[in-house]
Amino acid sequence: MSIFIDSTNKVLVQGATGKEGSYWTKHMQDMGTNLVFGVTPGKEGQQVEGIPIYHTIRRGMRDHEADTAMLFVPPAFTKDAIFEALDAGIRKIVTIADGIPLHELLQIRSAALSCGAMVVGGNTSGVISPGKAMMGVLPYWIERVYKPGRIGVMTRSGSLTNEVTAEVVKAGFGVSTLMGVGGDAVPLTRFAEILPLYQADPDTDGVVIIGELGGTMEEEVAEAMESGVFSKPLVAFIGGRTAPKGKRMGHAGAIVTGSKGTVEAKVDALTMAGGLVAKKPSLVGPLLRELMT
């Protein structure tokens, strides 16, 4: 099973008529994602890849059922688009926007938590269960990366995702569900909130996390392992191991505060909790084999 989306989800696409929206609408359809309608204010009556476009979600839901939303909406309009989806009863949302204002990220996360919704992103490549369905901008056609299998992958980094996941496949495994939480300062869904879904998934035997310096998401994973919330094999790669101390790195979320957020602290926490941490991406596969066999 998929922990987030499969062909049974009814997905609406906000921003479907834009260049990126229309391009990836076709690819999501080709992957098997069940797209039911699109939303672009002012363009009702048009179609994109055969799906009808409406001014608003409410207008679209007069004619169609939807339970999931994919956003190709600029960061300045992302908060309003997510709130529109939440107000319409949508409880699974993915947004790829990079650069959503910090105070709006906090408002979105608070609203999502209050109504039991999961909003994934921003600054993410998306979510995929290879061979089943995909939401986002993931190159699912690269078979050496997106091979169906029984390993869950959670990632903060779009650029490292393909490299590390290729090592999972090279080691003889495949991917059950890949969740890109994104690299912004306030991820709208955190690693530790996804772990229970992998724990409950009978089709996921282990998890690989692609973390990076800054923030505390990896330490929260360690806490979940120590408390018994997650007990399956786990391998991690933490990006930024050779980053110069005192210098702010690329991702907005890559901020070190005191002793927390350092690569060393994350490695220590995950190792103490029973996970294995690879020093470089090419070691993820061998470590995964060590834990799984």
Side-chain angles (χ1 to χ4, degrees):
M1 61 181 287
S2 168
I3 67 168
F4 191 83
I5 180 178
D6 59 25
S7 60
T8 65
N9 290 94
K10 298 178 177 63
V11 183
L12 66 91
V13 183
Q14 293 169 267
T17 60
K19 181 180 178 182
E20 295 298 323
S22 59
Y23 178 81
W24 287 103
T25 288
K26 180 181 187 309
H27 280 297
M28 289 190 292
Q29 281 183 319
D30 289 348
M31 180 69 195
T33 309
N34 180 19
L35 304 181
V36 291
F37 68 91
V39 176
T40 301
K43 297 191 176 181
E44 185 165 314
Q46 297 185 13
Q47 290 197 347
V48 173
E49 300 298 332
I51 67 169
I53 304 299
Y54 293 85
H55 291 319
T56 66
I57 293 176
R58 287 289 186 185
R59 290 176 70 95
M61 292 183 74
R62 292 184 311 188
D63 301 326
H64 310 273
E65 293 182 4
D67 54 28
T68 308
M70 177 68 230
L71 273 68
F72 295 97
V73 175
F77 306 111
T78 296
K79 187 190 80 170
D80 287 346
I82 290 175
F83 277 30
E84 181 187 3
L86 293 174
D87 184 59
I90 304 298
R91 294 296 177 261
K92 291 183 177 180
I93 300 170
V94 175
T95 178
I96 64 169
D98 178 1
I100 302 169
L102 181 60
H103 67 284
E104 294 189 0
L105 285 168
L106 294 169
Q107 292 172 345
I108 295 167
R109 179 164 166 78
S110 176
L113 291 174
S114 68
C115 64
M118 177 176 282
V119 182
V120 180
N123 194 8
T124 174
S125 299
V127 177
I128 184 171
S129 285
K132 297 178 181 176
M134 182 265 284
M135 297 174 66
V137 295
L138 292 151
Y140 62 90
W141 52 83
I142 305 177
E143 294 180 355
R144 64 182 175 83
V145 177
Y146 295 101
K147 177 184 175 183
R150 301 182 63 83
I151 301 298
V153 179
M154 295 189 294
T155 175
R156 294 174 65 181
S157 171
S159 59
L160 284 170
T161 296
N162 290 348
E163 182 176 358
V164 173
T165 306
E167 296 296 334
V168 173
V169 174
K170 185 178 177 181
F173 302 97
V175 176
S176 56
T177 300
L178 183 149
M179 301 280 291
V181 303
D184 277 353
V186 181
L188 296 170
T189 295
R190 303 179 70 82
F191 281 163
E193 294 164 336
I194 301 171
L195 271 181
L197 303 180
Y198 283 124
Q199 179 71 27
D201 181 15
D203 293 332
T204 294
D205 295 335
V207 165
V208 168
I209 67 172
I210 306 167
E212 63 181 15
L213 81 168
T216 58
M217 280 204 290
E218 294 81 359
E219 288 90 336
E220 292 167 9
V221 168
E223 292 171 3
M225 295 171 70
E226 290 178 333
S227 67
V229 170
F230 184 77
S231 60
K232 296 180 179 179
L234 183 141
V235 174
F237 171 76
I238 311 296
R241 186 179 288 268
T242 60
K245 294 185 183 299
K247 185 174 182 178
R248 182 169 176 166
M249 304 306 292
H251 274 164
I255 300 172
V256 176
T257 304
S259 61
K260 293 185 177 180
T262 65
V263 173
E264 293 80 6
K266 295 172 187 296
V267 171
D268 289 346
L270 289 167
T271 303
M272 289 288 290
L276 296 180
V277 182
K279 291 184 178 179
K280 51 186 179 181
S282 62
L283 295 177
V284 168
L287 290 181
L288 194 57
R289 277 203 304 267
E290 181 180 331
L291 278 181
M292 300 293 293
T293 58

